[in-house]
Structure formats: C-alpha cells, structure tokens
Amino acid sequence: MLTSRHVLYLVKIERLSYAEVADLLHISVKTVSNHLTYAMKKLMETLKDEVVLWLFLLPYFQ
C-alpha cells in the first residue's frame, strides 16, 4: 500500500526525482507531489508540537 511516507522517503532520503518516484510507484508526478505535500504538512505539525513541548520544558533542564 502506497503511503505519503514512502514518497517522502524516496524523494527526501533516496534523492529520487518526482518523475523517478512516479515511474517506480506507477503513479503520476502530480500524485507524487500531492503525497509529498501531505507528508511534509504532517511532519511539520508533528515537529511543531515537539518544539513547543521542548521550549516549555527547557527551563527545567538548565
């Protein structure tokens, strides 16, 4: 099953182009772009929450 995580990994870690990922997964380049956009939004939401938590807790570790 194709997930946005797969696309994110192939584009950002494996450094494949959108066209290469599209060919590999048998999907369109636009679908690759959509999956990557979704994955990056979810990643940023997750990281934002983590950063806010660490900024809140940071004074207790100094």
Side-chain angles (χ1 to χ4, degrees), residues 32-58:
V32 170
S33 178
N34 290 341
H35 275 289
L36 191 59
T37 299
Y38 175 79
M40 292 300 292
K41 283 182 183 179
K42 295 303 280 183
L43 181 60
M44 294 307 291
E45 286 174 13
T46 301
L47 290 177
K48 179 187 73 168
D49 292 343
E50 294 294 322
V51 168
V52 168
L53 177 64
W54 278 108
L55 288 175
F56 176 75
L57 294 176
L58 188 61

Side-chain angles (χ1 to χ4, degrees), residues 4-18 20-21 36 39-40 43:
S4 297
R5 184 182 293 183
H6 292 117
V7 173
L8 180 68
Y9 176 81
L10 292 171
V11 172
K12 298 297 184 180
I13 304 299
E14 294 294 327
R15 301 284 212 190
L16 297 178
S17 69
Y18 285 25
E20 291 170 322
V21 173
L36 191 59
M40 292 300 292
L43 181 60

